[in-house]
Amino acid sequence: MLSISRYSSVVEFEHLVQSVVKWDFRFWQKAFGMAAIYSLYIINKSGGLIYYKDYGSAGRMDTNDTLRVASLWHSMHAISQQLSPVSGCSGIELLQADTFDLHCFQSLTGTKFFAVCEPGTQQIESLLKYVYELYTDYVLKNPFYEIEMPIRCELFDMNLTQSVQKDRVALLGQ
Amino acid sequence: MIGVGKVKQYGNVLDKPLNKGKTEVSLSAFAFLFSELVQYNQTQVDNIGELERRLEDAGYAVGARVLELLCHRDKGNRRETRLLGILSFVHSTVWKVLFGKVADSLEKGTEHEDEYMISEKELLVNKFISIPKDMGTFNCGAFVAGIVRGVLDGAGFPAVVTAHFVPMEGQQRPRTTILIKFAEEVLLREARLG
């Protein structure tokens, strides 16, 4: 069952009801201490993949597939803005499926950060905002980085690894 | 009388005291400006050596001016004539004013008499910069090396100053060392002074 939610205030109530119903299942899942992020994508404003990092042991994809997924998500995100019954929609923020959640954060410049994680993982929104901060620091201030090109910055990788490890430790420790 | 406020009016602008001004500048603003400086120079040169030289020249101009300013403002117009004096001036005063902290360490080279090293765990100018693998040993710290060369040259201690990455075991990022190699005349003068 696939449900695209959280893009309109009308649907929010329905989502609230849904999440209360799902809470039981997710509560037990969290109780076993497993809440992890599977992969992280960054796409530029034209939809090209500029960064991909995968953390899970399941669902490893090769480069071509990751590029396809990225451009697919970019198109879906754009279409959802048109489809919304309420004007001023900024696109999909959360996609919930049986086996994964996909959280998306779009910056003011159109760069999208999205993470595929285990259902019910908390605080992915703040993680995505933190990744955005790392991006502005270690990628945009790097004179050797060309805008909209794939990210190959050592400092960005280092800091990202440190922060995801920290998050994981914090999540597993709960 | 109209126009006479609380501020004391100075007849001559040269009589106004040299105030410290704002001692803090946004790090992000500086990082973007420096990044643009490096990018601009990259478009003008053909190879990495040239790029390093250009960054050094940019730093040289800063160093010459910083020396004049600090001698007047912080040292009461006293001039350093000894080698260790000027080195500790660079290591503490200049670093404090430019980067907000004194340099990590000042060492004398063991192999040669005329070599001294100022080390820093991470230069402020390099804080957000990741050098791509194909640029080899290029270090944007060449800008800081230029600043040091400007200060030393202005003070009468001509030297060749370069910036190097020194890998450290147990740490992911290498330390940066500013290597100062003084000219012959400086050492002769120093020996004469005793």
Side-chain angles (χ1 to χ4, degrees), chain B residues 155-179:
Chain B
F157 293 84
V160 172
V161 189
T162 45
H164 302 276
F165 279 126
V166 176
M168 302 281 289
E169 339 78 47
Q171 278 181 37
Q172 281 172 305
R173 294 276 286 170
R175 284 176 81 84
T176 310
T177 297
I178 310 282
L179 184 68

mmCIF file with all atom_site columns, all heavy atoms in Angstrom, chain B residues 155-179:
data_model
loop_
_atom_site.group_PDB
_atom_site.id
_atom_site.type_symbol
_atom_site.label_atom_id
_atom_site.label_alt_id
_atom_site.label_comp_id
_atom_site.label_asym_id
_atom_site.label_entity_id
_atom_site.label_seq_id
_atom_site.pdbx_PDB_ins_code
_atom_site.Cartn_x
_atom_site.Cartn_y
_atom_site.Cartn_z
_atom_site.occupancy
_atom_site.B_iso_or_equiv
_atom_site.pdbx_formal_charge
_atom_site.auth_seq_id
_atom_site.auth_comp_id
_atom_site.auth_asym_id
_atom_site.auth_atom_id
_atom_site.pdbx_PDB_model_num
ATOM 1   N N   . ALA B 1 155 ? 59.515 44.153 7.140  1.00 0.00 ? 155 ALA B N   1
ATOM 2   C CA  . ALA B 1 155 ? 60.287 44.388 8.363  1.00 0.00 ? 155 ALA B CA  1
ATOM 3   C C   . ALA B 1 155 ? 61.780 44.262 8.148  1.00 0.00 ? 155 ALA B C   1
ATOM 4   O O   . ALA B 1 155 ? 62.565 44.435 9.077  1.00 0.00 ? 155 ALA B O   1
ATOM 5   C CB  . ALA B 1 155 ? 59.840 43.400 9.430  1.00 0.00 ? 155 ALA B CB  1
ATOM 6   N N   . GLY B 1 156 ? 62.177 43.935 6.921  1.00 0.00 ? 156 GLY B N   1
ATOM 7   C CA  . GLY B 1 156 ? 63.606 43.855 6.633  1.00 0.00 ? 156 GLY B CA  1
ATOM 8   C C   . GLY B 1 156 ? 64.200 42.481 6.836  1.00 0.00 ? 156 GLY B C   1
ATOM 9   O O   . GLY B 1 156 ? 65.393 42.336 7.079  1.00 0.00 ? 156 GLY B O   1
ATOM 10  N N   . PHE B 1 157 ? 63.370 41.429 6.740  1.00 0.00 ? 157 PHE B N   1
ATOM 11  C CA  . PHE B 1 157 ? 63.863 40.053 6.874  1.00 0.00 ? 157 PHE B CA  1
ATOM 12  C C   . PHE B 1 157 ? 63.455 39.282 5.638  1.00 0.00 ? 157 PHE B C   1
ATOM 13  O O   . PHE B 1 157 ? 62.515 38.475 5.669  1.00 0.00 ? 157 PHE B O   1
ATOM 14  C CB  . PHE B 1 157 ? 63.231 39.373 8.102  1.00 0.00 ? 157 PHE B CB  1
ATOM 15  C CG  . PHE B 1 157 ? 63.660 39.955 9.409  1.00 0.00 ? 157 PHE B CG  1
ATOM 16  C CD1 . PHE B 1 157 ? 63.034 41.071 9.923  1.00 0.00 ? 157 PHE B CD1 1
ATOM 17  C CD2 . PHE B 1 157 ? 64.679 39.372 10.147 1.00 0.00 ? 157 PHE B CD2 1
ATOM 18  C CE1 . PHE B 1 157 ? 63.421 41.618 11.136 1.00 0.00 ? 157 PHE B CE1 1
ATOM 19  C CE2 . PHE B 1 157 ? 65.073 39.893 11.368 1.00 0.00 ? 157 PHE B CE2 1
ATOM 20  C CZ  . PHE B 1 157 ? 64.449 41.023 11.861 1.00 0.00 ? 157 PHE B CZ  1
ATOM 21  N N   . PRO B 1 158 ? 64.110 39.506 4.501  1.00 0.00 ? 158 PRO B N   1
ATOM 22  C CA  . PRO B 1 158 ? 63.681 38.813 3.284  1.00 0.00 ? 158 PRO B CA  1
ATOM 23  C C   . PRO B 1 158 ? 63.754 37.297 3.449  1.00 0.00 ? 158 PRO B C   1
ATOM 24  O O   . PRO B 1 158 ? 64.690 36.765 4.030  1.00 0.00 ? 158 PRO B O   1
ATOM 25  C CB  . PRO B 1 158 ? 64.668 39.290 2.220  1.00 0.00 ? 158 PRO B CB  1
ATOM 26  C CG  . PRO B 1 158 ? 65.807 39.883 2.961  1.00 0.00 ? 158 PRO B CG  1
ATOM 27  C CD  . PRO B 1 158 ? 65.298 40.361 4.265  1.00 0.00 ? 158 PRO B CD  1
ATOM 28  N N   . ALA B 1 159 ? 62.693 36.618 2.973  1.00 0.00 ? 159 ALA B N   1
ATOM 29  C CA  . ALA B 1 159 ? 62.630 35.164 3.132  1.00 0.00 ? 159 ALA B CA  1
ATOM 30  C C   . ALA B 1 159 ? 61.792 34.553 2.031  1.00 0.00 ? 159 ALA B C   1
ATOM 31  O O   . ALA B 1 159 ? 61.028 35.235 1.355  1.00 0.00 ? 159 ALA B O   1
ATOM 32  C CB  . ALA B 1 159 ? 62.021 34.824 4.488  1.00 0.00 ? 159 ALA B CB  1
ATOM 33  N N   . VAL B 1 160 ? 61.968 33.252 1.852  1.00 0.00 ? 160 VAL B N   1
ATOM 34  C CA  . VAL B 1 160 ? 61.108 32.483 0.949  1.00 0.00 ? 160 VAL B CA  1
ATOM 35  C C   . VAL B 1 160 ? 60.143 31.707 1.839  1.00 0.00 ? 160 VAL B C   1
ATOM 36  O O   . VAL B 1 160 ? 60.580 30.943 2.709  1.00 0.00 ? 160 VAL B O   1
ATOM 37  C CB  . VAL B 1 160 ? 61.944 31.508 0.098  1.00 0.00 ? 160 VAL B CB  1
ATOM 38  C CG1 . VAL B 1 160 ? 61.035 30.588 -0.692 1.00 0.00 ? 160 VAL B CG1 1
ATOM 39  C CG2 . VAL B 1 160 ? 62.867 32.268 -0.824 1.00 0.00 ? 160 VAL B CG2 1
ATOM 40  N N   . VAL B 1 161 ? 58.846 31.931 1.642  1.00 0.00 ? 161 VAL B N   1
ATOM 41  C CA  . VAL B 1 161 ? 57.850 31.310 2.529  1.00 0.00 ? 161 VAL B CA  1
ATOM 42  C C   . VAL B 1 161 ? 56.921 30.427 1.709  1.00 0.00 ? 161 VAL B C   1
ATOM 43  O O   . VAL B 1 161 ? 56.398 30.847 0.685  1.00 0.00 ? 161 VAL B O   1
ATOM 44  C CB  . VAL B 1 161 ? 57.013 32.382 3.262  1.00 0.00 ? 161 VAL B CB  1
ATOM 45  C CG1 . VAL B 1 161 ? 56.150 31.731 4.313  1.00 0.00 ? 161 VAL B CG1 1
ATOM 46  C CG2 . VAL B 1 161 ? 57.909 33.432 3.884  1.00 0.00 ? 161 VAL B CG2 1
ATOM 47  N N   . THR B 1 162 ? 56.743 29.189 2.172  1.00 0.00 ? 162 THR B N   1
ATOM 48  C CA  . THR B 1 162 ? 55.841 28.279 1.453  1.00 0.00 ? 162 THR B CA  1
ATOM 49  C C   . THR B 1 162 ? 54.934 27.562 2.448  1.00 0.00 ? 162 THR B C   1
ATOM 50  O O   . THR B 1 162 ? 55.270 27.443 3.627  1.00 0.00 ? 162 THR B O   1
ATOM 51  C CB  . THR B 1 162 ? 56.642 27.213 0.680  1.00 0.00 ? 162 THR B CB  1
ATOM 52  O OG1 . THR B 1 162 ? 57.648 26.717 1.532  1.00 0.00 ? 162 THR B OG1 1
ATOM 53  C CG2 . THR B 1 162 ? 57.265 27.785 -0.570 1.00 0.00 ? 162 THR B CG2 1
ATOM 54  N N   . ALA B 1 163 ? 53.808 27.059 1.926  1.00 0.00 ? 163 ALA B N   1
ATOM 55  C CA  . ALA B 1 163 ? 52.853 26.331 2.775  1.00 0.00 ? 163 ALA B CA  1
ATOM 56  C C   . ALA B 1 163 ? 52.832 24.876 2.354  1.00 0.00 ? 163 ALA B C   1
ATOM 57  O O   . ALA B 1 163 ? 52.783 24.563 1.171  1.00 0.00 ? 163 ALA B O   1
ATOM 58  C CB  . ALA B 1 163 ? 51.460 26.935 2.626  1.00 0.00 ? 163 ALA B CB  1
ATOM 59  N N   . HIS B 1 164 ? 52.880 23.976 3.364  1.00 0.00 ? 164 HIS B N   1
ATOM 60  C CA  . HIS B 1 164 ? 52.893 22.539 3.058  1.00 0.00 ? 164 HIS B CA  1
ATOM 61  C C   . HIS B 1 164 ? 51.899 21.790 3.921  1.00 0.00 ? 164 HIS B C   1
ATOM 62  O O   . HIS B 1 164 ? 51.652 22.159 5.060  1.00 0.00 ? 164 HIS B O   1
ATOM 63  C CB  . HIS B 1 164 ? 54.291 21.965 3.348  1.00 0.00 ? 164 HIS B CB  1
ATOM 64  C CG  . HIS B 1 164 ? 55.373 22.627 2.578  1.00 0.00 ? 164 HIS B CG  1
ATOM 65  N ND1 . HIS B 1 164 ? 55.706 22.282 1.302  1.00 0.00 ? 164 HIS B ND1 1
ATOM 66  C CD2 . HIS B 1 164 ? 56.188 23.650 2.914  1.00 0.00 ? 164 HIS B CD2 1
ATOM 67  C CE1 . HIS B 1 164 ? 56.684 23.059 0.896  1.00 0.00 ? 164 HIS B CE1 1
ATOM 68  N NE2 . HIS B 1 164 ? 57.000 23.893 1.836  1.00 0.00 ? 164 HIS B NE2 1
ATOM 69  N N   . PHE B 1 165 ? 51.394 20.697 3.367  1.00 0.00 ? 165 PHE B N   1
ATOM 70  C CA  . PHE B 1 165 ? 50.578 19.777 4.159  1.00 0.00 ? 165 PHE B CA  1
ATOM 71  C C   . PHE B 1 165 ? 51.497 18.731 4.753  1.00 0.00 ? 165 PHE B C   1
ATOM 72  O O   . PHE B 1 165 ? 52.306 18.141 4.034  1.00 0.00 ? 165 PHE B O   1
ATOM 73  C CB  . PHE B 1 165 ? 49.556 19.054 3.279  1.00 0.00 ? 165 PHE B CB  1
ATOM 74  C CG  . PHE B 1 165 ? 48.345 19.876 2.990  1.00 0.00 ? 165 PHE B CG  1
ATOM 75  C CD1 . PHE B 1 165 ? 47.937 20.095 1.688  1.00 0.00 ? 165 PHE B CD1 1
ATOM 76  C CD2 . PHE B 1 165 ? 47.587 20.418 4.012  1.00 0.00 ? 165 PHE B CD2 1
ATOM 77  C CE1 . PHE B 1 165 ? 46.808 20.841 1.408  1.00 0.00 ? 165 PHE B CE1 1
ATOM 78  C CE2 . PHE B 1 165 ? 46.460 21.169 3.749  1.00 0.00 ? 165 PHE B CE2 1
ATOM 79  C CZ  . PHE B 1 165 ? 46.065 21.381 2.430  1.00 0.00 ? 165 PHE B CZ  1
ATOM 80  N N   . VAL B 1 166 ? 51.368 18.494 6.059  1.00 0.00 ? 166 VAL B N   1
ATOM 81  C CA  . VAL B 1 166 ? 52.181 17.466 6.695  1.00 0.00 ? 166 VAL B CA  1
ATOM 82  C C   . VAL B 1 166 ? 51.225 16.426 7.255  1.00 0.00 ? 166 VAL B C   1
ATOM 83  O O   . VAL B 1 166 ? 50.477 16.705 8.185  1.00 0.00 ? 166 VAL B O   1
ATOM 84  C CB  . VAL B 1 166 ? 53.021 18.077 7.838  1.00 0.00 ? 166 VAL B CB  1
ATOM 85  C CG1 . VAL B 1 166 ? 53.779 16.993 8.560  1.00 0.00 ? 166 VAL B CG1 1
ATOM 86  C CG2 . VAL B 1 166 ? 53.962 19.132 7.298  1.00 0.00 ? 166 VAL B CG2 1
ATOM 87  N N   . PRO B 1 167 ? 51.208 15.217 6.670  1.00 0.00 ? 167 PRO B N   1
ATOM 88  C CA  . PRO B 1 167 ? 50.259 14.216 7.186  1.00 0.00 ? 167 PRO B CA  1
ATOM 89  C C   . PRO B 1 167 ? 50.634 13.784 8.597  1.00 0.00 ? 167 PRO B C   1
ATOM 90  O O   . PRO B 1 167 ? 51.810 13.646 8.912  1.00 0.00 ? 167 PRO B O   1
ATOM 91  C CB  . PRO B 1 167 ? 50.381 13.050 6.203  1.00 0.00 ? 167 PRO B CB  1
ATOM 92  C CG  . PRO B 1 167 ? 51.614 13.287 5.436  1.00 0.00 ? 167 PRO B CG  1
ATOM 93  C CD  . PRO B 1 167 ? 51.987 14.709 5.548  1.00 0.00 ? 167 PRO B CD  1
ATOM 94  N N   . MET B 1 168 ? 49.618 13.617 9.436  1.00 0.00 ? 168 MET B N   1
ATOM 95  C CA  . MET B 1 168 ? 49.841 13.191 10.816 1.00 0.00 ? 168 MET B CA  1
ATOM 96  C C   . MET B 1 168 ? 49.204 11.831 11.029 1.00 0.00 ? 168 MET B C   1
ATOM 97  O O   . MET B 1 168 ? 48.078 11.612 10.589 1.00 0.00 ? 168 MET B O   1
ATOM 98  C CB  . MET B 1 168 ? 49.167 14.173 11.785 1.00 0.00 ? 168 MET B CB  1
ATOM 99  C CG  . MET B 1 168 ? 49.627 15.586 11.650 1.00 0.00 ? 168 MET B CG  1
ATOM 100 S SD  . MET B 1 168 ? 51.204 15.803 12.457 1.00 0.00 ? 168 MET B SD  1
ATOM 101 C CE  . MET B 1 168 ? 50.731 15.683 14.151 1.00 0.00 ? 168 MET B CE  1
ATOM 102 N N   . GLU B 1 169 ? 49.904 10.954 11.737 1.00 0.00 ? 169 GLU B N   1
ATOM 103 C CA  . GLU B 1 169 ? 49.297 9.632  11.992 1.00 0.00 ? 169 GLU B CA  1
ATOM 104 C C   . GLU B 1 169 ? 48.155 9.835  12.974 1.00 0.00 ? 169 GLU B C   1
ATOM 105 O O   . GLU B 1 169 ? 48.253 10.611 13.885 1.00 0.00 ? 169 GLU B O   1
ATOM 106 C CB  . GLU B 1 169 ? 50.261 8.627  12.633 1.00 0.00 ? 169 GLU B CB  1
ATOM 107 C CG  . GLU B 1 169 ? 51.736 8.860  12.486 1.00 0.00 ? 169 GLU B CG  1
ATOM 108 C CD  . GLU B 1 169 ? 52.269 9.917  13.422 1.00 0.00 ? 169 GLU B CD  1
ATOM 109 O OE1 . GLU B 1 169 ? 51.953 9.885  14.624 1.00 0.00 ? 169 GLU B OE1 1
ATOM 110 O OE2 . GLU B 1 169 ? 52.999 10.779 12.933 1.00 0.00 ? 169 GLU B OE2 1
ATOM 111 N N   . GLY B 1 170 ? 47.090 9.081  12.744 1.00 0.00 ? 170 GLY B N   1
ATOM 112 C CA  . GLY B 1 170 ? 45.961 9.122  13.669 1.00 0.00 ? 170 GLY B CA  1
ATOM 113 C C   . GLY B 1 170 ? 44.996 10.255 13.394 1.00 0.00 ? 170 GLY B C   1
ATOM 114 O O   . GLY B 1 170 ? 43.992 10.398 14.075 1.00 0.00 ? 170 GLY B O   1
ATOM 115 N N   . GLN B 1 171 ? 45.285 11.077 12.385 1.00 0.00 ? 171 GLN B N   1
ATOM 116 C CA  . GLN B 1 171 ? 44.351 12.148 12.061 1.00 0.00 ? 171 GLN B CA  1
ATOM 117 C C   . GLN B 1 171 ? 44.039 12.116 10.584 1.00 0.00 ? 171 GLN B C   1
ATOM 118 O O   . GLN B 1 171 ? 44.914 11.884 9.761  1.00 0.00 ? 171 GLN B O   1
ATOM 119 C CB  . GLN B 1 171 ? 44.976 13.491 12.420 1.00 0.00 ? 171 GLN B CB  1
ATOM 120 C CG  . GLN B 1 171 ? 44.827 13.810 13.887 1.00 0.00 ? 171 GLN B CG  1
ATOM 121 C CD  . GLN B 1 171 ? 45.426 15.149 14.200 1.00 0.00 ? 171 GLN B CD  1
ATOM 122 O OE1 . GLN B 1 171 ? 45.324 16.051 13.384 1.00 0.00 ? 171 GLN B OE1 1
ATOM 123 N NE2 . GLN B 1 171 ? 46.061 15.276 15.345 1.00 0.00 ? 171 GLN B NE2 1
ATOM 124 N N   . GLN B 1 172 ? 42.767 12.403 10.273 1.00 0.00 ? 172 GLN B N   1
ATOM 125 C CA  . GLN B 1 172 ? 42.366 12.312 8.868  1.00 0.00 ? 172 GLN B CA  1
ATOM 126 C C   . GLN B 1 172 ? 42.908 13.467 8.049  1.00 0.00 ? 172 GLN B C   1
ATOM 127 O O   . GLN B 1 172 ? 43.294 13.291 6.917  1.00 0.00 ? 172 GLN B O   1
ATOM 128 C CB  . GLN B 1 172 ? 40.841 12.321 8.767  1.00 0.00 ? 172 GLN B CB  1
ATOM 129 C CG  . GLN B 1 172 ? 40.234 10.987 9.078  1.00 0.00 ? 172 GLN B CG  1
ATOM 130 C CD  . GLN B 1 172 ? 38.726 11.099 9.155  1.00 0.00 ? 172 GLN B CD  1
ATOM 131 O OE1 . GLN B 1 172 ? 38.191 11.901 9.907  1.00 0.00 ? 172 GLN B OE1 1
ATOM 132 N NE2 . GLN B 1 172 ? 38.050 10.313 8.367  1.00 0.00 ? 172 GLN B NE2 1
ATOM 133 N N   . ARG B 1 173 ? 42.893 14.678 8.655  1.00 0.00 ? 173 ARG B N   1
ATOM 134 C CA  . ARG B 1 173 ? 43.343 15.828 7.898  1.00 0.00 ? 173 ARG B CA  1
ATOM 135 C C   . ARG B 1 173 ? 44.799 16.126 8.238  1.00 0.00 ? 173 ARG B C   1
ATOM 136 O O   . ARG B 1 173 ? 45.176 16.123 9.402  1.00 0.00 ? 173 ARG B O   1
ATOM 137 C CB  . ARG B 1 173 ? 42.479 17.040 8.283  1.00 0.00 ? 173 ARG B CB  1
ATOM 138 C CG  . ARG B 1 173 ? 41.055 16.917 7.878  1.00 0.00 ? 173 ARG B CG  1
ATOM 139 C CD  . ARG B 1 173 ? 40.823 17.336 6.473  1.00 0.00 ? 173 ARG B CD  1
ATOM 140 N NE  . ARG B 1 173 ? 40.881 18.778 6.297  1.00 0.00 ? 173 ARG B NE  1
ATOM 141 C CZ  . ARG B 1 173 ? 40.902 19.380 5.101  1.00 0.00 ? 173 ARG B CZ  1
ATOM 142 N NH1 . ARG B 1 173 ? 40.899 18.657 4.019  1.00 0.00 ? 173 ARG B NH1 1
ATOM 143 N NH2 . ARG B 1 173 ? 40.943 20.669 5.033  1.00 0.00 ? 173 ARG B NH2 1
ATOM 144 N N   . PRO B 1 174 ? 45.625 16.428 7.242  1.00 0.00 ? 174 PRO B N   1
ATOM 145 C CA  . PRO B 1 174 ? 47.026 16.747 7.549  1.00 0.00 ? 174 PRO B CA  1
ATOM 146 C C   . PRO B 1 174 ? 47.144 18.135 8.174  1.00 0.00 ? 174 PRO B C   1
ATOM 147 O O   . PRO B 1 174 ? 46.311 19.008 7.942  1.00 0.00 ? 174 PRO B O   1
ATOM 148 C CB  . PRO B 1 174 ? 47.696 16.715 6.173  1.00 0.00 ? 174 PRO B CB  1
ATOM 149 C CG  . PRO B 1 174 ? 46.609 16.952 5.203  1.00 0.00 ? 174 PRO B CG  1
ATOM 150 C CD  . PRO B 1 174 ? 45.359 16.420 5.797  1.00 0.00 ? 174 PRO B CD  1
ATOM 151 N N   . ARG B 1 175 ? 48.200 18.318 8.967  1.00 0.00 ? 175 ARG B N   1
ATOM 152 C CA  . ARG B 1 175 ? 48.498 19.645 9.514  1.00 0.00 ? 175 ARG B CA  1
ATOM 153 C C   . ARG B 1 175 ? 49.023 20.524 8.390  1.00 0.00 ? 175 ARG B C   1
ATOM 154 O O   . ARG B 1 175 ? 49.508 20.024 7.382  1.00 0.00 ? 175 ARG B O   1
ATOM 155 C CB  . ARG B 1 175 ? 49.625 19.538 10.549 1.00 0.00 ? 175 ARG B CB  1
ATOM 156 C CG  . ARG B 1 175 ? 49.253 19.003 11.861 1.00 0.00 ? 175 ARG B CG  1
ATOM 157 C CD  . ARG B 1 175 ? 50.505 18.889 12.685 1.00 0.00 ? 175 ARG B CD  1
ATOM 158 N NE  . ARG B 1 175 ? 50.868 20.167 13.250 1.00 0.00 ? 175 ARG B NE  1
ATOM 159 C CZ  . ARG B 1 175 ? 50.362 20.659 14.369 1.00 0.00 ? 175 ARG B CZ  1
ATOM 160 N NH1 . ARG B 1 175 ? 49.474 19.971 15.032 1.00 0.00 ? 175 ARG B NH1 1
ATOM 161 N NH2 . ARG B 1 175 ? 50.723 21.823 14.826 1.00 0.00 ? 175 ARG B NH2 1
ATOM 162 N N   . THR B 1 176 ? 48.960 21.834 8.596  1.00 0.00 ? 176 THR B N   1
ATOM 163 C CA  . THR B 1 176 ? 49.568 22.737 7.621  1.00 0.00 ? 176 THR B CA  1
ATOM 164 C C   . THR B 1 176 ? 50.774 23.389 8.260  1.00 0.00 ? 176 THR B C   1
ATOM 165 O O   . THR B 1 176 ? 50.697 23.860 9.402  1.00 0.00 ? 176 THR B O   1
ATOM 166 C CB  . THR B 1 176 ? 48.577 23.832 7.204  1.00 0.00 ? 176 THR B CB  1
ATOM 167 O OG1 . THR B 1 176 ? 47.350 23.214 6.839  1.00 0.00 ? 176 THR B OG1 1
ATOM 168 C CG2 . THR B 1 176 ? 49.116 24.596 6.022  1.00 0.00 ? 176 THR B CG2 1
ATOM 169 N N   . THR B 1 177 ? 51.880 23.427 7.522  1.00 0.00 ? 177 THR B N   1
ATOM 170 C CA  . THR B 1 177 ? 53.092 24.076 8.025  1.00 0.00 ? 177 THR B CA  1
ATOM 171 C C   . THR B 1 177 ? 53.496 25.183 7.081  1.00 0.00 ? 177 THR B C   1
ATOM 172 O O   . THR B 1 177 ? 53.545 24.990 5.866  1.00 0.00 ? 177 THR B O   1
ATOM 173 C CB  . THR B 1 177 ? 54.237 23.048 8.105  1.00 0.00 ? 177 THR B CB  1
ATOM 174 O OG1 . THR B 1 177 ? 53.863 22.054 9.035  1.00 0.00 ? 177 THR B OG1 1
ATOM 175 C CG2 . THR B 1 177 ? 55.517 23.702 8.581  1.00 0.00 ? 177 THR B CG2 1
ATOM 176 N N   . ILE B 1 178 ? 53.763 26.366 7.650  1.00 0.00 ? 178 ILE B N   1
ATOM 177 C CA  . ILE B 1 178 ? 54.291 27.475 6.853  1.00 0.00 ? 178 ILE B CA  1
ATOM 178 C C   . ILE B 1 178 ? 55.787 27.435 7.051  1.00 0.00 ? 178 ILE B C   1
ATOM 179 O O   . ILE B 1 178 ? 56.286 27.646 8.165  1.00 0.00 ? 178 ILE B O   1
ATOM 180 C CB  . ILE B 1 178 ? 53.739 28.825 7.356  1.00 0.00 ? 178 ILE B CB  1
ATOM 181 C CG1 . ILE B 1 178 ? 52.223 28.788 7.490  1.00 0.00 ? 178 ILE B CG1 1
ATOM 182 C CG2 . ILE B 1 178 ? 54.213 29.947 6.476  1.00 0.00 ? 178 ILE B CG2 1
ATOM 183 C CD1 . ILE B 1 178 ? 51.485 28.914 6.213  1.00 0.00 ? 178 ILE B CD1 1
ATOM 184 N N   . LEU B 1 179 ? 56.515 27.150 5.981  1.00 0.00 ? 179 LEU B N   1
ATOM 185 C CA  . LEU B 1 179 ? 57.964 27.019 6.072  1.00 0.00 ? 179 LEU B CA  1
ATOM 186 C C   . LEU B 1 179 ? 58.613 28.339 5.676  1.00 0.00 ? 179 LEU B C   1
ATOM 187 O O   . LEU B 1 179 ? 58.376 28.839 4.581  1.00 0.00 ? 179 LEU B O   1
ATOM 188 C CB  . LEU B 1 179 ? 58.421 25.889 5.148  1.00 0.00 ? 179 LEU B CB  1
ATOM 189 C CG  . LEU B 1 179 ? 59.902 25.562 5.191  1.00 0.00 ? 179 LEU B CG  1
ATOM 190 C CD1 . LEU B 1 179 ? 60.249 24.961 6.537  1.00 0.00 ? 179 LEU B CD1 1
ATOM 191 C CD2 . LEU B 1 179 ? 60.251 24.590 4.075  1.00 0.00 ? 179 LEU B CD2 1
#
